Amino acid sequence: MTNFNWNATAFFKDLTNKNKLAINGEFVFCRVSGLEGFEEALEKMQTKKAFVCVSDISQGYTELNNTPHTRRVKTIFLAMRHALNDFDARDRYMDTMRELFRQFMSVLILEQTRLKEHCIFIDPRISFQEIDRFFFSGCACAYFQIAVDTYTDLQFNTKEWNK
């Protein structure tokens, strides 16, 4: 059996470009490397007001059992800029990001069914975290994480080793 992977970056880029709420909210997609990369994306994109950022790094592990698999956890950040200390705007933007998350999940549930055909399993529990207002001044931020399990062929293959 071949090892399959799921490209979360391409998936969420496509969702951002097709979703009406994301388009109307002027969300732009960007790829980041953890929180430090997210901060750099905000600095570089001063002219943009809303972001969907997928981290190109992930945490995970390989489980050695009767059905060996590798788990990768991908993080997707959402952010909307607002005037500093405009807490009403922050509240509105948090509502927008909660709704965008819900809409993204409505597509992810369909994607989950498709991925099962390739022995890729999305953990059904997807956490959504709102980030404290002091994380980035003038920016409402949240993130969610998706754990993806993929079949991992751990058959010992003599061709991969020197004698």
Side-chain angles (χ1 to χ4, degrees), residues 122-156:
I122 295 176
D123 189 319
R125 186 176 184 146
I126 299 172
S127 64
F128 181 85
Q129 302 291 321
E130 297 175 6
I131 300 176
D132 187 272
R133 70 176 178 252
F134 300 110
F135 181 69
F136 285 115
S137 295
C139 200
C141 304
Y143 69 93
F144 56 97
Q145 295 181 302
I146 299 174
V148 179
D149 295 326
T150 57
Y151 166 77
T152 304
D153 185 354
L154 293 179
Q155 286 187 62
F156 179 77

Side-chain angles (χ1 to χ4, degrees), residues 74-137:
K74 298 300 288 183
T75 303
I76 297 88
F77 299 95
L78 305 174
M80 296 184 79
R81 296 172 38 128
H82 57 78
L84 192 61
N85 297 324
D86 186 347
F87 298 111
D88 291 335
R90 177 182 166 72
D91 290 342
R92 285 192 315 275
Y93 290 167
M94 290 305 287
D95 285 341
T96 299
M97 291 186 297
R98 290 180 197 115
E99 178 58 19
L100 185 60
F101 170 74
R102 187 200 67 76
Q103 290 181 23
F104 279 7
M105 293 304 102
S106 74
V107 176
L108 189 64
I109 199 167
L110 300 173
E111 179 75 352
Q112 179 182 28
T113 302
R114 187 189 72 78
L115 291 173
K116 284 180 183 178
E117 296 173 6
H118 299 288
C119 296
I120 298 174
F121 302 94
I122 295 176
D123 189 319
R125 186 176 184 146
I126 299 172
S127 64
F128 181 85
Q129 302 291 321
E130 297 175 6
I131 300 176
D132 187 272
R133 70 176 178 252
F134 300 110
F135 181 69
F136 285 115
S137 295

Side-chain angles (χ1 to χ4, degrees), residues 10-41:
F11 179 78
F12 284 101
K13 181 178 184 179
D14 189 54
L15 289 187
T16 303
N17 292 333
K18 291 181 178 177
N19 179 269
K20 291 179 182 180
L21 179 60
I23 293 167
N24 291 337
E26 299 179 36
F27 280 84
V28 294
F29 178 85
C30 57
R31 185 175 178 159
V32 298
S33 293
L35 290 175
E36 291 79 18
F38 182 73
E39 187 172 327
E40 289 172 18

